[in-house]
Amino acid sequence: MHTASAPGKVYLFGEHAVVYGEPAIPCAVERRATVTVEERSDGRLRVDAQDLHIEGFTVEYGETGPAVDAPKAVLEAATEYVDGAIAQVRDAADAPGAGFDVTIESDIPLGAGLGSSAAVVVASIAAATSELGVELDPREVAERAYQVELNVQDGQASRADTFCSAMGGAVRVEGDDCRTIDAPDLPFVIGFDGGSGDTGKLVAGVRELREQYDFAADTVAAIGDVVREGETLLAESQGGATVDDDVLTELGQLMNFDHGLLEALGVSSRSLDDMVWTAREAGAHGAKLTGAGGGGCIVALDRSDGTETALSYEAACQEVFRAELAHEGVRLE
Ligand code: MEV
């Protein structure tokens, strides 16, 4: 039996635009998916996901496909992504007939912009390859996990979520160019509306707008400009050191700008906007949605208790928590 865990992430800047080759800066946060894998002799795959921040369920499936009546998004999370991860494992270990019992536990809300699917895929690949006696380095896990996301998201995915979860810390992704970067520990506050968005649909919506209107394409490009500006700021602020208030103020301003551009691209929602405004009015340096949008989480920067307290009274917000930068990416437990 082998267990691996991998962190979720927030986007400091750049979601959606990263799908079109603009840079993005996601940061891994200390909320992890933990996957335990045990090889089984009959070549079947059994996925047990009792703790995904959703009502738990168990599904057993083989050649005939899954037979369970659960919401599509939930089923996809536990089957399509894990199924894809196991296909990668069979390929990596040259073991096409390998079967597994897979148990998933996660404290990352599903489909809420915190990279739950990437973390589950990354941890599944690491745990199952170890179970077969194959050690992959985190970059190879990231590459294989990306292939899974690409497939599940109909060819529309960036490397950002999977690379960040595999490597940990802050990363910069621009097309195929993925690297870890030095970043200071930032005072992230996360607000969660209890919902989720459909990444595939949201990405497709931005693609359509971008094809229909030049100004939508310009909006995507403007997100890239915001990211480049933010990246310069981070580089100047010396990674690892405590960041000073001037830098937080400017980072926050750039996050606000990014949120406005994402809002214009139609990927925000009433509850995300409500949480963003509550955070700003409570004194956050800045706030934006994180991930695909449509519902789920916002991320704000605030060292004081103001944003946390205000979000805990905000009707649109179901849960609020602080998130530390996760310096470690995927790891065997
Ligand atoms: C989803 O977490 C982030 C998006 O940019 C899609 C992707 O990068 O694959 C919306």
Side-chain angles (χ1 to χ4, degrees):
M1 190 188 296
H2 283 79
T3 300
S5 76
K9 56 105 228 317
V10 292
Y11 272 89
L12 190 53
F13 307 114
E15 52 273 86
H16 284 286
V18 67
V19 176
Y20 308 97
E22 298 294 344
I25 302 182
C27 299
V29 293
E30 270 311 341
R31 286 237 158 179
R32 302 184 80 90
T34 302
V35 177
T36 299
V37 171
E38 188 162 15
E39 194 178 1
R40 45 191 285 167
S41 53
D42 60 4
R44 289 169 68 87
L45 179 59
R46 180 180 190 277
V47 180
D48 186 353
Q50 293 294 340
D51 183 21
L52 288 177
H53 249 62
I54 49 164
E55 224 172 285
F57 70 99
T58 302
V59 53
E60 184 162 348
Y61 63 113
E63 277 155 30
T64 53
V68 66
D69 185 19
K72 188 165 179 286
V74 169
L75 199 55
E76 275 175 8
T79 58
E80 281 197 73
Y81 285 105
V82 178
D83 216 10
I86 295 304
Q88 287 294 330
V89 169
R90 289 175 175 143
D91 179 62
D94 199 14
F100 302 95
D101 282 330
V102 178
T103 305
I104 304 168
E105 292 163 283
S106 175
D107 54 10
I108 311 167
L110 256 196
L114 298 184
S116 55
S117 57
V120 166
V121 172
V122 163
S124 299
I125 292 176
T129 46
S130 301
E131 176 73 1
L132 296 181
V134 174
E135 295 298 322
L136 301 181
D137 72 43
R139 281 184 183 265
E140 192 170 348
V141 173
E143 176 57 32
R144 288 188 175 275
Y146 165 64
Q147 295 302 330
V148 176
E149 286 224 327
L150 196 61
N151 200 24
V152 176
Q153 286 171 214
D154 296 327
Q156 301 183 102
S158 75
R159 290 182 144 80
D161 289 23
T162 41
F163 185 73
C164 186
S165 184
M167 304 303 289
V171 307
R172 179 191 193 276
V173 171
E174 183 173 7
D176 295 344
D177 180 10
C178 302
R179 44 185 89 176
T180 53
I181 58 173
D182 276 345
D185 274 324
L186 295 168
F188 292 129
V189 180
I190 294 175
F192 175 37
D193 70 4
S196 62
D198 181 331
T199 301
K201 264 197 199 142
L202 290 152
V203 170
V206 172
R207 181 175 295 276
E208 274 162 32
L209 273 179
R210 204 174 155 266
E211 280 163 8
Q212 191 176 359
Y213 300 115
D214 285 348
F215 53 77
D218 292 344
T219 305
V220 169
I223 292 178
D225 292 337
V226 170
V227 180
R228 281 179 279 272
E229 201 67 42
E231 145 179 46
T232 308
L233 250 183
L234 285 177
E236 285 167 5
S237 74
Q238 295 171 353
T242 308
V243 62
D244 63 43
D245 274 357
D246 290 351
V247 174
L248 280 186
T249 302
E250 204 173 335
L251 282 174
Q253 197 176 351
L254 294 171
M255 288 169 72
N256 289 342
F257 216 114
D258 196 353
H259 182 79
L261 296 169
L262 290 165
E263 212 280 323
L265 291 170
V267 298
S268 192
S269 70
R270 178 63 191 256
S271 55
L272 293 174
D273 287 345
D274 284 353
M275 292 191 291
V276 158
W277 276 105
T278 296
R280 289 175 187 163
E281 284 171 4
H285 294 283
K288 62 180 278 295
L289 66 84
T290 172
C297 292
I298 65 144
V299 55
L301 288 184
D302 190 356
R303 245 198 280 273
S304 80
D305 294 342
T307 298
E308 255 180 296
T309 306
L311 282 173
S312 71
Y313 289 105
E314 164 57 57
C317 183
Q318 200 176 90
E319 197 184 333
V320 55
F321 52 93
R322 278 200 175 275
E324 301 282 316
L325 191 69
H327 293 279
E328 232 184 326
V330 63
R331 68 173 182 235
L332 293 172
E333 300 289 345

